[in-house]
């Protein structure tokens, strides 16, 4: 059935179709707005005074997995975290493999705790930020054997399957 404009009316043409498409796009916008609200809530949790709320913020940023989650988490690491939350924050930065996490991870390779250096080194291996290879080579000389072993793993050439 052709309308006055010569187009085919497939049951949802004219204004009905425009309204339906507009409503659909509005729902998409709502989803993006909800994601932004969740991101903002997670960032706010990082500033809480109790560790449980900060942990919830770290977890929420980890599930976000976008580049926008890296900067607030990096800033919170730089302000200081208790050991268990620092370890969790480093792992959270490494999971999505975001190269934007490189600067804070490079800083953490100089941490006094070997466990932090190991976690930062593993995260660098998964994120592959710019400058990763020279940093990993330097870590091959770390005083702690697990740090050296962790730095060695991403530097190994990829193994090819036997044919």
């Amino acid at each position: 059935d052709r309308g006055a404009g010569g187009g085919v009316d497939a049951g949802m043409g004219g204004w009905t179709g425009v309204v339906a498409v507009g409503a659909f796009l509005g729902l998409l916008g709502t989803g993006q707005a909800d994601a932004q609200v969740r991101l903002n809530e997670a960032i706010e949790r990082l500033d809480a005074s109790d560790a449980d709320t900060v942990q919830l913020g770290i977890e929420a940023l980890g599930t976000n997995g976008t580049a926008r989650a890296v900067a607030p988490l990096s800033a919170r690491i730089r302000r200081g975290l208790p050991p268990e939350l620092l370890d969790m924050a480093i792992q959270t930065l490494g999971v999505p493999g975001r190269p934007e996490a490189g600067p804070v991870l490079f800083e953490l390779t100089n941490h006094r705790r070997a466990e932090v250096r190991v976690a930062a080194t593993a995260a660098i291996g998964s994120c592959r930020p710019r400058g990763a290879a020279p940093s990993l080579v330097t870590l091959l000389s770390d005083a702690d054997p697990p740090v050296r072993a962790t730095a060695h793993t991403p530097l190994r050439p990829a193994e090819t399957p036997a044919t």
Side-chain angles (χ1 to χ4, degrees), residues 27 35 66 69 87 91-92 98 106 109 119 135:
L27 288 175
T66 66
D87 295 343
Q91 291 172 359
T92 300
R98 304 288 331 173
F106 293 144
T109 62
S135 177

XYZ file of all heavy atoms in Angstrom, residues 27 35 66 69 87 91-92 98 106 109 119 135:
89
model
N 15.106 4.621 24.496
C 15.512 3.528 25.378
C 17.008 3.294 25.319
O 17.647 3.018 26.328
C 14.766 2.242 25.012
C 13.290 2.207 25.364
C 12.657 0.921 24.831
C 13.085 2.316 26.861
N 24.164 3.463 32.491
C 25.570 3.050 32.591
C 26.413 4.184 33.159
O 27.302 3.946 33.985
C 26.097 2.622 31.229
N 35.548 -0.304 30.891
C 35.847 0.671 29.852
C 37.050 1.524 30.251
O 37.477 1.526 31.403
C 34.645 1.612 29.593
O 34.429 2.412 30.753
C 33.396 0.832 29.246
N 36.867 3.840 33.324
C 37.026 3.309 34.674
C 38.473 3.357 35.141
O 38.743 3.305 36.335
C 36.505 1.879 34.730
N 45.649 -4.859 46.143
C 45.796 -6.059 45.312
C 44.588 -6.231 44.395
O 44.729 -6.530 43.207
C 45.987 -7.298 46.188
C 47.279 -7.268 46.990
O 48.184 -6.472 46.649
O 47.378 -8.027 47.980
N 44.465 -6.067 40.200
C 43.874 -7.144 39.407
C 42.734 -6.618 38.548
O 42.576 -7.022 37.393
C 43.384 -8.262 40.313
C 44.511 -9.023 40.972
C 44.016 -10.008 42.013
O 42.826 -10.130 42.264
N 44.948 -10.712 42.629
N 41.962 -5.707 39.101
C 40.848 -5.118 38.362
C 41.352 -4.350 37.150
O 40.759 -4.422 36.073
C 40.024 -4.192 39.284
O 39.515 -4.983 40.369
C 38.883 -3.523 38.547
N 43.239 -3.011 29.640
C 43.194 -1.629 29.189
C 44.600 -1.029 29.221
O 45.167 -0.860 30.300
C 42.268 -0.788 30.072
C 40.852 -1.271 30.202
C 39.963 -1.131 29.043
N 40.254 -0.030 28.170
C 39.642 0.168 27.024
N 38.723 -0.660 26.618
N 39.947 1.186 26.264
N 53.086 0.868 35.998
C 54.542 1.066 35.993
C 55.007 1.607 37.342
O 56.039 1.186 37.869
C 54.968 2.025 34.878
C 54.762 1.480 33.484
C 54.383 2.316 32.461
C 54.954 0.143 33.187
C 54.194 1.840 31.175
C 54.768 -0.353 31.900
C 54.381 0.500 30.892
N 55.353 -1.076 40.003
C 56.460 -2.036 39.907
C 57.614 -1.649 40.826
O 58.537 -2.443 41.012
C 56.977 -2.175 38.457
O 57.492 -0.925 38.017
C 55.883 -2.678 37.528
N 51.740 -8.443 41.175
C 50.413 -8.156 40.614
C 50.502 -7.097 39.518
O 49.866 -7.228 38.460
C 49.462 -7.700 41.725
N 59.862 -2.081 30.524
C 59.545 -2.202 31.944
C 59.681 -3.649 32.400
O 60.252 -3.928 33.457
C 58.126 -1.691 32.208
O 57.790 -1.858 33.560
